[in-house]
C-alpha cells in the first residue's frame, strides 16, 4: 500500500500541529506496512528529496503566497507524477491551491481528505473560494473529521456527512525524546517548581492576549514556548500590563519541550476561535499527564479536555473565567494531580498513534477496494 500525502508545509521547514499529525500518520501506518510519501513546498534551495523517519519527503519550490495560500507550479506536475505511483492520495485541508492542483493534475486515484479545520479568518476570499472548495470536497472519496465535536459543529462537514467519518488525531510518545535530567534541572532553576505552560505557534487564534489579560490580576508563573507572527505584539502587550511572571522562551527544540512538559504544573491553552480545530500541544499535555485549561469553541479541544474530569473548560475570550480556572488548579494541587492522571488515561484510551494508524490503514484498504469495484466510467 503506497500513500501520497499532500500539504503546503512539512518538516523541517515547519513543525506545527498538522505537520506533527502527518508525521505521526506516516510513522504509525508505516509500521503497518504502508509506504508513505509527503509532497510539500519549501523556500529552501536544496535538499528537495530526503528520507525522514522511514518515509520519503519530496519538496518543491514555493513560488508565492496570497493570504497564507501557498502556490507552486512545480507541485502540480509532481502531484500528477507521484499520484501515478500511489494507491491512495491523502490530502490535508484547508489549502485552496491543493484543491486546484487536484483538478489540474487530473487525479484519478482513491482520495481521502483529513479536514483539519474550517476556514475562519479570510471571509471575503472564502466567498471566492467556495465554488472550488465544494467541487473539491464533492470529488474526493472520503472526508475525515478529527473529532466528533468538530463533525457536529462544522457547517461544511454537515453538508458532506454521508461521506464523512471521524478519526481522531493520535500521538506516539515513544518518538518523543526522553526527558533529560540536566535540561530539567536547568529549567527548574530558571522557572521554579510550578508553572503554567503554553506551547504552540503564536497565532491570532491562540488566545494568548486573553491569557495575558488574565495574568494582570494574578501572579502565577506562566511559560510561553513558541514563535510566530504575533510574537512582538504579545510581548508588547505583556510589557504594557507590567507582567513580571510571564516568560517568553521562543521556539525550542523537542528536548527542551519535553523537559518543560514534564516539569509543568498544568497546561494553559486559551485558543478562542474555531481555527483551533483540535490542539496538538493540548493533547501533548494530556499525554504527559497534565491537567488542562481550555476554552469551549465547539472543536476538538473539548474532546481532549473534559471539563471537571481532565481539567477545566472556560468560555472563550473571558480573562476573568480563565484566571479563575488557573486559581482553582493552583490552589488545589491534589485535584490538579488527579485531573492530570485522568488526562493521561484518556490519551491512552482515545488518542494514541497506533489507534489513528490502524483506522487510517483500514480506510486506505477500504478506498482501494471500493475503487477497484467501480465501473471505469465512475472512475473517470
Amino acid at each position: 500500500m503506497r500513500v501520497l500525502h499532500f500539504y503546503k508545509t512539512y518538516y523541517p521547514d515547519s513543525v506545527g500541529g498538522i505537520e506533527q499529525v502527518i508525521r505521526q500518520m506516516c510513522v504509525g501506518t508505516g509500521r503497518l506496512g504502508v509506504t508513505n510519501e509527503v509532497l510539500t513546498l519549501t523556500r529552501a534551495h536544496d535538499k528537495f528529496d530526503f528520507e525522514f523517519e522511514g518515509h520519503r519527503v519530496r519538496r518543491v519550490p514555493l513560488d508565492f503566497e496570497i493570504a497564507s495560500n501557498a502556490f507552486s507550479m512545480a507541485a502540480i506536475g509532481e502531484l500528477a507524477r507521484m499520484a501515478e505511483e500511489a494507491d491512495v492520495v491523502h490530502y490535508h485541508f484547508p489549502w485552496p491551491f491543493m484543491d486546484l492542483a487536484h483538478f489540474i493534475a487530473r487525479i484519478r486515484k482513491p482520495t481521502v481528505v483529513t479536514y483539519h479545520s474550517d476556514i475562519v479568518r479570510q471571509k471575503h476570499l472564502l466567498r471566492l473560494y467556495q465554488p472550488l472548495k465544494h467541487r473539491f470536497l464533492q470529488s474526493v472519496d472520503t472526508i475525515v473529521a478529527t473529532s466528533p465535536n468538530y463533525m457536529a459543529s462544522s457547517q461544511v462537514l454537515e453538508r458532506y456527512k454521508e461521506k464523512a467519518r471521524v478519526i481522531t488525531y493520535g500521538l506516539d510518545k515513544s518518538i518523543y525524546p526522553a526527558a533529560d535530567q540536566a535540561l530539567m534541572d536547568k529549567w527548574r532553576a530558571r522557572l521554579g517548581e510550578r508553572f503554567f505552560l503554553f506551547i504552540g505557534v503564536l497565532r491570532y487564534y491562540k488566545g494568548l492576549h486573553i491569557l495575558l489579560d488574565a495574568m494582570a490580576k494574578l501572579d502565577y508563573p506562566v511559560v510561553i514556548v513558541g514563535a510566530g507572527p504575533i510574537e512582538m505584539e504579545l510581548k508588547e502587550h505583556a510589557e504594557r500590563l507590567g507582567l513580571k511572571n510571564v516568560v517568553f522562551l521562543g521556539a525550542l527544540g523537542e528536548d527542551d519541550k519535553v523537559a518543560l512538559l514534564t516539569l509543568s504544573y498544568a497546561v494553559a491553552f486559551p485558543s478562542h476561535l474555531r481555527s483551533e480545530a483540535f490542539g496538538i500541544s493540548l493533547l501533548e499535555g494530556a499525554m504527559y499527564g497534565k491537567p488542562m485549561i481550555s476554552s469551549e469553541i465547539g472543536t476538538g479541544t473539548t474532546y481532549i479536555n473534559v471539563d471537571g474530569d481532565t481539567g477545566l473548560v472556560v468560555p472563550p475570550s473571558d480573562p476573568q473565567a480563565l484566571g479563575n480556572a488557573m486559581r482553582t488548579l493552583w490552589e488545589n494541587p491534589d485535584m490538579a494531580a488527579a485531573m492530570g492522571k485522568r488526562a493521561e488515561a484518556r490519551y491512552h484510551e482515545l488518542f494514541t498513534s497506533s489507534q489513528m494508524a490502524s483506522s487510517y490503514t483500514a480506510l486506505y484498504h477500504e478506498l482501494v477496494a471500493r475503487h477497484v469495484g467501480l465501473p471505469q466510467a465512475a472512475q473517470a
Side-chain angles (χ1 to χ4, degrees), residues 72-122:
S72 169
M73 296 305 104
I76 297 172
E78 279 299 302
L79 176 62
R81 184 185 66 79
M82 295 177 73
E84 281 298 312
E85 301 174 359
D87 297 300
V88 175
V89 178
H90 191 152
Y91 294 115
H92 296 271
F93 182 97
W95 180 22
F97 171 76
M98 173 184 70
D99 307 15
L100 188 64
H102 166 77
F103 291 112
I104 297 176
R106 300 177 62 83
I107 302 301
R108 295 291 182 263
K109 294 297 181 74
T111 50
V112 56
V113 173
T114 296
Y115 191 94
H116 294 280
S117 173
D118 292 333
I119 295 176
V120 177
R121 196 177 195 187
Q122 292 92 357

Side-chain angles (χ1 to χ4, degrees), residues 360-372:
Y360 270 109
T361 301
L363 175 58
Y364 296 151
H365 285 284
E366 176 190 328
L367 290 176
V368 170
R370 191 193 311 169
H371 198 78
V372 169

Side-chain angles (χ1 to χ4, degrees), residues 286 289 310 339-351:
T310 62
M339 286 178 167
K341 288 180 180 178
R342 292 193 293 268
E344 185 175 7
R346 186 169 175 82
Y347 155 73
H348 285 292
E349 179 186 357
L350 297 173
F351 300 113

Side-chain angles (χ1 to χ4, degrees), residues 28 45 81 155 185-186 188 278 324 359:
H45 300 289
R81 184 185 66 79
Q155 293 181 358
D185 290 343
K186 181 193 83 169
R188 185 183 289 110
F278 195 82
N324 289 341
S359 296

Side-chain angles (χ1 to χ4, degrees), residues 10 19 34 38 77 130 141 160 174 214 311 331:
Y10 194 57
E19 295 89 334
V34 176
V38 178
Q130 290 277 29
D141 295 306
Y160 298 100
S174 72
E331 295 180 354

